Amino acid sequence: MTNMIDIKVKNQFSEILDAKALLRSAPDSNSVSNRIEHIVVDGEVILPSIELLFESQHSSSIYKVIEAK
């Protein structure tokens, strides 16, 4: 089972944006960041890369999750 939640992300220019995250179900993990399957920023689905950063394929932005609601 998956769950979509509201999050805040910060890009490499320190701009904070509202986004969504799709979480995998992982009963043994309490950490939200370890359960993120992908994020959605401005309608773009972005998969995680190394160190839980999310690099846009449509712009030069790189996002880091800073808050999960």
Side-chain angles (χ1 to χ4, degrees):
M1 180 170 190
T2 56
N3 189 22
M4 187 73 81
I5 63 167
D6 293 322
I7 60 170
K8 294 215 182 268
V9 295
K10 184 188 294 187
N11 66 15
Q12 73 270 31
F13 307 111
S14 295
E15 296 174 302
I16 297 174
L17 304 162
D18 292 322
K20 300 269 187 193
L22 183 68
L23 302 180
R24 291 185 286 275
S25 60
D28 58 336
S29 175
N30 291 334
S31 173
V32 170
S33 61
N34 290 335
R35 296 176 48 210
I36 294 176
E37 187 168 308
H38 68 259
I39 65 171
V40 180
V41 180
D42 293 330
E44 180 186 3
V45 174
I46 306 172
L47 300 174
S49 60
I50 60 172
E51 299 181 21
L52 293 176
L53 297 176
F54 297 82
E55 184 175 0
S56 172
Q57 299 298 310
H58 298 288
S59 70
S60 61
S61 295
I62 298 171
Y63 301 100
K64 179 178 183 175
V65 176
I66 58 170
E67 178 184 323
K69 298 178 183 178

